[in-house]
């Protein structure tokens, strides 16, 4: 299946012997125009708004905004939460993908759905459940307070919310790749006497490494951009529990529109870097897939 | 290539371990940073500029008197949202919110401070007051002079959602009070309206007026700042119902020629209270510092900063100076007209109360 | 008794499933169970009252309706975009391809602010639409636009591989038999794409249902009219009504779960059909 995509990927539509294999010229132009117009309005225009807003007060104001201590603190927190999310999601993702991709067992479809759940759960609900669990009025809250441990309205809460939101990405991506590759190579290695870890490091991981990286990139993008869930558990303490997306909102609410858009553009740039990485990856593997 | 890659995957693991180590120190940092003590002031939206300057002044004052360095951290947001965060465990030393109801909620739901909190500081624990005014576009093109003009055909009014914004609740009650006074004939009747003849009928009229008013509102933002942005930045609406301090700030920050303030004939006396959260300061050992932080708000220097940031100071000496900036306005209090915040909240803003009914009926009538 | 797992010589099932279950339980199942436990604190009567309140019903209707409309529009345009990206070569195709993922990577608050700025009466697009009497910002249309923005990558990215996989032989055979291009599309291509299209639609729909950050900026947030369920949850929370918030949250959660089950079924169905076709 994978190989088929690869060969198709750069296939030029062959010069047509049969009219029925190709749309008339006007139809092609119309379709391209529709696609370009639609994406232009829906995606490119908002992107342009962000950068126009960011530079509306000149480059110096832009640089001042993104080098402000509060912005830097927010950037640090965002990167920290993303690092946690990526690391833990990767470990979990590899384990889950191995179980889901290489074995058949009862309840697999339910488990798959549960793993996907955070993707569809409203971020607000994701934040709410952590407040219910760890808030002072929640179940674990009084115990945590008695032991002077802070979870929500502190860094651990933000990390937790980010973990929840990014939960499915690596697992889902990897499980698909592992499933597609089947178990043939691993079984062969097993018969040749390789141990479980040897099989994993020498056979499976090299086969799925691009899938893993792809999942990590998606996970990272989602982690850095999360707003709703983090907003509920953050407490919005300036310079302490503000992530970059929250900082954008704060600046916007302080009538510092140019600064808000400047920080937003910083996030957008991070997003664009992610997209470029992803495009490079796709070119390398000839793979087009997923979310 | 292959062994290389497997080695690469170890790096994130190490990174995570290092981060985990770095992070576990984080919580302690909040109370005892290396240089001195830290306070957390949890406040509502329009006080950002005030406390930014006040915190610097207070830190200087505290260092002068005790030699100790203090860092005051701020958290801003909608008043109700901030109160909820404190209830859920946000470790605020001090709350400075938009209305007493929200601090009452902190007492009722989490018992983090005594019920008598409002008597602990002068002036009902309100170091400053404000009122609700109209912000209109330059030249007042629609000739808005008073509350009654807001429901003229074609006028769009911007105000946030009273269920989530403290400022919006003040606006809502101000409109209600004006309509009540109009029906009762005099503003004096608002000293004790329930004793006035025809009170029940007047309440009905007030409700009709407020319903009509919200019929002119095209967007309900969740907070005061959101509403101001809608009005100023996105150019929506003809009139913004705003905190007086917020309206003056908009004119200072976003260009004098673009907007004008209209003072209605009657408005509400908005009293944003402050309080120390006993439970948190005792746990963190910051009580003295927190109490001084609030007391200093009532000092001459504090009141001066309050006035500079467009809040009406409590201090009598400053009142005459401030009078130039703050035109006199006939105001009434929540206590006199609505019997206090608990009652006002129950009658108007709780689920299924008047505000919800207004929207339920506008829908049933096939509203715009 | 049947075995839980089919026989395999590969090791590591216990370990990996163990890790998966532990991690899933602590991070997803336990917190979500908490959500249901909290809503169960309410009696049936209160539960019903919260669920069937006119305002909640209006919000459900709006959330479902707007998400459905947005997913439907996305499905149509997503098909066009995917088709163009896969089948044609033109200037800027790679850029367009990379751009599709933007909504996924862009923080929702940023997209919300940007879309509102764009479509408000004085925005670059809003000022052209206003004279035509089309108001986008602070109306239901605005909600649909924001949800379209959120959902488009899901449709395009599920359709692209399916389009690539499409066996040319089928089309050739149809063309040899004298079918026109439109006929081939309708009779041969579309039926093969159908599972992927439905999956993409369902994913965009599921994602749209829960969206909060971008919608609150553009929605107008009027009770009964432009108030979505996640916003209502936020409002309940700010009124200290935890039980009400959790009831709404739990209902949304059940809805999402059902949708995801459907999506997973669809994907397997699509997988089987693709297998049969080749």
């Amino acid at each position: 299946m994978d190989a088929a995509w690869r060969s198709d990927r750069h296939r030029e539509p062959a010069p047509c012997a049969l009219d029925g294999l190709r749309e008339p010229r006007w139809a092609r132009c119309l379709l391209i125009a529709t696609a370009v117009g639609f994406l232009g309005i829906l995606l490119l225009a908002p992107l342009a708004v962000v950068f126009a807003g960011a530079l509306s007060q000149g480059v110096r104001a832009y640089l001042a905004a993104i080098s402000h201590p509060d912005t830097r603190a927010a950037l640090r927190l965002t990167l920290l939460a993303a690092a946690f999310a990526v690391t833990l999601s990767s470990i979990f993702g590899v384990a889950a993908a191995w179980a889901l991709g290489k074995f058949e067992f009862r309840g697999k479809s339910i488990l798959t759905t549960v793993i996907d759940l955070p993707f569809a759960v409203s971020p607000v609900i994701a934040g709410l459940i952590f407040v219910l669990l760890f808030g002072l009025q929640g179940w674990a809250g009084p115990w945590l307070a008695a032991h002077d441990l802070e979870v929500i309205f502190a860094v651990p809460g933000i990390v937790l919310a980010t973990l929840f939101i990014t939960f499915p990405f690596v697992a889902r991506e990897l499980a698909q790749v592992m499933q597609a590759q089947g178990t043939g190579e691993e079984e062969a290695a097993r018969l040749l006497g390789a141990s479980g870890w040897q099989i994993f490091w020498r056979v499976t991981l090299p086969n799925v490494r691009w899938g893993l990286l792809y999942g990590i990139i998606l996970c990272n993008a989602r982690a850095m951009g999360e707003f709703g869930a983090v907003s509920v558990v953050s407490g919005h303490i300036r310079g302490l529990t503000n992530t970059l997306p929250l900082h954008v909102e704060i600046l916007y609410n302080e009538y510092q529109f140019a600064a808000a858009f400047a920080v937003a553009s910083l996030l957008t740039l991070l997003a664009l870097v992610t997209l470029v990485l992803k495009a490079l990856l796709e070119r390398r593997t000839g793979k087009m897939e997923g979310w | 290539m292959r062994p290389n890659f497997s080695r690469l995957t170890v790096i994130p693991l190490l990174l995570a371990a290092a981060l985990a180590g770095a992070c576990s120190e984080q919580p302690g940092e909040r109370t005892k940073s290396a240089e001195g003590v830290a306070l957390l002031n949890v406040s509502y939206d329009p006080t950002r500029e005030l406390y930014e300057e006040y915190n610097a002044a207070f830190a200087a004052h505290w260092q002068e008197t005790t030699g100790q360095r203090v860092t005051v951290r701020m958290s801003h947001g909608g008043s109700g949202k901030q109160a909820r965060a404190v209830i859920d465990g946000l470790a605020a030393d001090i709350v400075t919110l938009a209305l007493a109801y929200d601090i009452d909620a902190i007492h009722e739901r989490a018992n983090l401070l005594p019920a008598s909190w409002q008597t602990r500081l002068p002036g009902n624990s309100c170091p400053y007051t404000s009122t609700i005014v109209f912000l209109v576009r330059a030249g007042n093109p629609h000739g808005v002079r008073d509350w009654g003009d807001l429901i003229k055909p074609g006028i769009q009014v911007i105000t946030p959602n009273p269920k989530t914004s403290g400022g919006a609740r003040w606006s809502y009650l101000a409109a209600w009070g004006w309509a009540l006074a109009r029906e009762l004939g005099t503003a004096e009747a608002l000293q004790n309206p329930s004793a006035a003849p025809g009170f029940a009928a007047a309440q009905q009229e007030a409700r009709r007026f407020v319903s009509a008013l919200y019929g002119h509102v095209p967007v309900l933002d969740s907070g005061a700042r959101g509403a101001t942005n809608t009005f100023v930045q996105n150019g929506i609406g003809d009139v913004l119902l705003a905190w007086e301090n917020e309206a003056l700030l908009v004119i200072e920050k976003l260009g004098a020629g673009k907007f004008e303030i209209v003072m209605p004939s009657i408005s509400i006396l908005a009293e944003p209270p402050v309080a120390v959260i006993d439970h948190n300061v005792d746990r963190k050992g910051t009580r003295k510092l927190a109490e001084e932080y609030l007391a200093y708000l009532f000092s001459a220097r504090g009141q001066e900063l309050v006035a500079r940031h467009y809040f009406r100071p409590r201090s009598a000496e400053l009142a005459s100076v401030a009078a130039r900036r703050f035109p006199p306005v006939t105001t009434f209090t929540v206590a006199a007209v609505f019997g206090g915040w608990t009652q006002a909240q129950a009658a108007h803003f709780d689920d299924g109360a008047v505000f919800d009914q207004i929207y339920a009926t506008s829908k049933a009538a096939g509203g715009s | 008794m049947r075995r839980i797992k089919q026989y395999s010589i590969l090791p590591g099932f216990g370990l990996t499933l163990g890790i998966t279950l532990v991690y899933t339980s602590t991070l997803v199942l336990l917190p979500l169970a908490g959500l249901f436990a909290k809503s169960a604190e309410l009696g049936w009567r209160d539960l019903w009252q919260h669920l069937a309140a006119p305002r909640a019903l209006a919000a459900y209707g709006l959330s479902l309706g707007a998400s459905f409309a947005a997913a439907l529009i996305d499905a149509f345009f997503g098909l066009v975009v995917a088709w163009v990206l896969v089948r044609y070569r033109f200037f800027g195709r790679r850029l367009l391809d990379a751009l599709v993922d933007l909504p996924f990577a862009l923080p929702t608050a940023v997209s919300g602010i940007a879309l509102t700025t764009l479509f408000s009466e004085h925005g670059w697009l809003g000022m052209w639409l206003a004279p035509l009497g089309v108001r986008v910002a602070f109306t239901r249309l605005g909600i649909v636009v924001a949800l379209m923005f959120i959902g488009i990558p899901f449709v395009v990215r599920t359709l692209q591989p399916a389009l690539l996989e499409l066996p040319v032989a089928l089309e050739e055979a149809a063309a040899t038999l004298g079918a026109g291009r439109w006929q081939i599309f309708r009779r041969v291509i579309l039926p093969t794409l159908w599972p992927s299209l439905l999956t993409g639609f369902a994913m965009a729909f599921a994602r749209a249902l829960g969206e909060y950050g971008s919608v609150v900026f553009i929605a107008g947030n009027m009770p009964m009219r432009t108030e979505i369920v996640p916003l209502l949850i936020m409002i309940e929370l700010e009124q200290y009504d935890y039980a009400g918030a959790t009831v709404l949250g739990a209902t949304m959660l059940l809805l999402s779960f059902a949708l995801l089950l459907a999506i997973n079924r669809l994907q397997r169905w699509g997988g089987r059909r693709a297998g049969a076709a080749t």
Side-chain angles (χ1 to χ4, degrees), chain A:
Chain A
M1 195 160 83
D2 224 27
W5 299 352
R6 254 169 236 177
S7 58
D8 277 3
R9 165 75 172 170
H10 296 294
R11 180 194 62 177
E12 294 292 327
C16 288
L18 292 156
D19 268 356
L21 273 184
R22 208 154 177 193
E23 294 81 36
R25 196 179 163 75
W26 64 265
R28 267 181 296 158
C29 290
L30 185 72
L31 286 173
I32 292 178
T34 312
V36 172
F38 179 73
L39 292 186
I41 290 178
L42 198 64
L43 304 181
L44 209 51
L47 196 63
V49 165
V50 171
F51 282 98
L55 295 169
S56 63
Q57 310 255 315
V59 178
R60 187 172 292 179
Y62 180 82
L63 291 177
I66 58 174
S67 59
H68 192 277
D70 285 343
T71 310
R72 284 204 307 242
L75 180 63
R76 264 199 303 278
L77 182 58
T78 299
L79 292 179
L80 177 87
F84 265 103
V86 165
T87 319
L88 287 177
S89 289
S90 306
I91 296 169
F92 157 77
V94 168
W98 183 268
L100 291 172
K102 300 289 183 196
F103 300 96
E104 287 300 325
F105 54 93
R106 268 199 280 166
K108 187 168 155 177
S109 133
I110 298 280
L111 185 60
T112 313
T113 309
V114 169
I115 289 177
D116 278 347
L117 203 52
F119 154 79
V121 165
S122 176
V124 175
I125 299 174
L128 171 65
I129 56 181
F130 289 110
V131 170
L132 288 178
L133 275 187
F134 299 114
L136 202 53
Q137 314 303 313
W139 285 290
W143 184 86
L144 288 171
H147 292 76
D148 230 358
L149 292 170
E150 287 180 317
V151 176
I152 57 169
F153 308 122
V155 177
I158 291 168
V159 171
L160 262 182
T162 313
L163 275 180
F164 181 90
I165 290 295
T166 55
F167 185 80
F169 290 102
V170 178
R172 201 188 152 98
E173 188 57 38
L174 265 189
Q176 274 173 356
V177 178
M178 283 204 192
Q179 186 122 45
Q181 276 174 346
T183 52
E185 287 185 37
E186 283 82 0
E187 279 165 1
R190 181 72 174 161
L191 290 176
L192 291 172
S195 75
W197 285 110
Q198 275 176 325
I199 296 177
F200 176 71
W201 287 109
R202 300 283 179 80
V203 179
T204 310
L205 195 59
N207 271 337
V208 301
R209 61 192 167 191
W210 298 117
L212 177 63
L213 205 53
Y214 185 84
I216 285 177
I217 287 173
L218 286 178
C219 170
N220 186 48
R222 192 81 177 80
M224 290 195 299
E226 180 47 32
F227 174 76
V230 172
S231 170
V232 179
V233 297
S234 132
H236 302 95
I237 306 169
R238 248 192 123 121
L240 209 60
T241 62
N242 260 338
T243 62
L244 273 189
L246 296 180
H247 196 57
V248 172
E249 193 202 16
I250 284 189
L251 289 173
Y252 192 70
N253 279 344
E254 286 178 357
Y255 307 135
Q256 303 186 39
F257 303 117
F261 278 119
V263 176
S265 77
L266 196 64
L267 275 166
T268 313
L269 282 177
L270 285 173
L272 288 177
V273 168
T274 306
L275 294 189
V276 169
L277 278 179
K278 190 172 154 289
L280 286 178
L281 209 61
E282 272 165 1
R283 193 182 274 196
R284 168 138 208 168
T285 57
K287 177 178 170 316
M288 283 176 94
E289 236 272 70
W291 302 14

Side-chain angles (χ1 to χ4, degrees), chain B:
Chain B
M1 183 76 206
R2 285 183 182 193
N4 234 355
F5 186 77
S6 47
R7 223 171 289 155
L8 273 179
T9 48
V10 179
I11 295 172
L13 293 178
L14 291 175
L15 191 74
L19 285 172
C23 182
S24 56
E25 290 163 23
Q26 205 94 10
E29 199 179 292
R30 182 180 298 178
T31 44
K32 292 181 201 84
S33 55
E35 318 91 59
V37 284
L39 270 188
L40 175 60
N41 178 356
V42 172
S43 192
Y44 65 115
D45 259 330
T47 57
R48 293 166 197 267
E49 291 74 17
L50 165 64
Y51 283 113
E52 200 177 329
E53 196 173 356
Y54 176 76
N55 288 344
F58 174 74
H61 162 75
W62 185 256
Q63 187 154 27
E64 220 168 82
T65 46
T66 66
Q68 199 176 24
R69 284 184 62 181
V70 55
T71 325
V72 185
R73 300 222 178 252
M74 294 304 303
S75 166
H76 292 279
S79 190
K81 181 176 165 186
Q82 295 293 78
R84 185 186 60 74
V86 174
I87 290 170
D88 280 329
L90 179 59
D93 300 275
I94 290 149
V95 288
T96 50
L97 296 180
L99 39 105
Y101 176 78
D102 288 327
I103 303 184
D104 282 338
I106 298 175
H107 160 71
E108 271 164 39
R109 285 160 203 278
N111 199 18
L112 300 178
L113 75 176
S116 61
W117 63 270
Q118 209 164 8
T119 59
R120 296 193 294 193
L121 287 165
N124 282 334
S125 286
C126 302
Y128 38 77
T129 65
S130 191
T131 189
I132 299 295
V133 301
F134 305 158
L135 192 68
V136 297
R137 302 194 185 278
N140 196 358
H142 293 274
V144 174
R145 297 270 160 257
D146 205 353
W147 291 99
D149 299 329
L150 298 182
I151 57 169
K152 281 193 203 154
I155 300 255
Q156 283 195 326
V157 181
I158 304 296
T159 180
N161 189 339
K163 302 199 83 154
T164 51
S165 157
R169 261 173 267 180
W170 289 112
S171 300
Y172 171 104
L173 295 178
W176 191 285
W178 172 83
L180 209 54
R182 182 190 60 180
E183 293 307 310
L184 295 174
T186 66
E188 278 82 63
L190 290 182
Q191 304 295 334
N192 186 11
S194 50
F199 174 66
Q203 284 280 63
Q204 282 305 316
E205 277 307 308
R207 181 184 171 139
R208 213 159 290 148
F209 172 71
V210 172
S211 302
L213 177 60
Y214 278 90
H216 287 254
V217 178
V219 46
L220 284 173
D221 288 284
S222 61
R225 281 285 156 105
T228 315
N229 280 332
T230 299
F231 182 74
V232 171
Q233 186 74 353
N234 293 328
I236 307 293
D238 306 303
V239 185
L240 173 74
L241 304 186
W243 291 96
E244 182 183 44
N245 53 292
E246 192 76 349
L248 286 161
L249 184 73
V250 166
I251 289 185
E252 179 206 293
K253 280 223 170 179
L254 302 167
K258 293 190 201 154
F259 305 98
E260 281 174 24
I261 292 178
V262 172
M263 187 65 75
S265 63
I266 295 178
S267 196
I268 196 162
L269 178 69
E271 297 181 298
V274 300
V276 167
I277 302 293
D278 297 59
H279 177 85
N280 291 343
V281 294
D282 288 342
R283 193 163 56 85
K284 297 203 266 180
T286 48
R287 175 177 283 278
K288 251 193 92 192
L289 178 65
E291 280 173 351
E292 177 61 18
Y293 182 83
L294 291 190
Y296 194 60
L297 265 177
F298 289 88
S299 74
R301 175 84 180 119
Q303 291 287 296
E304 188 194 318
L305 288 177
V306 158
R308 187 185 302 170
H309 289 279
Y310 309 115
F311 287 88
R312 295 187 177 219
R314 276 288 190 192
S315 142
E317 309 140 46
L318 271 175
S320 56
V321 186
R324 259 177 284 141
R325 179 179 268 166
F326 306 112
V329 56
T330 314
T331 58
F332 60 91
T333 64
V334 173
V337 177
F338 302 95
W341 266 110
T342 314
Q343 281 190 39
Q345 179 75 25
H348 294 275
F349 307 119
D350 274 352
D351 273 350
V354 175
F355 181 75
D356 279 354
Q357 292 164 18
I358 286 174
Y359 275 96
T361 47
S362 82
K363 173 82 175 183
S368 60

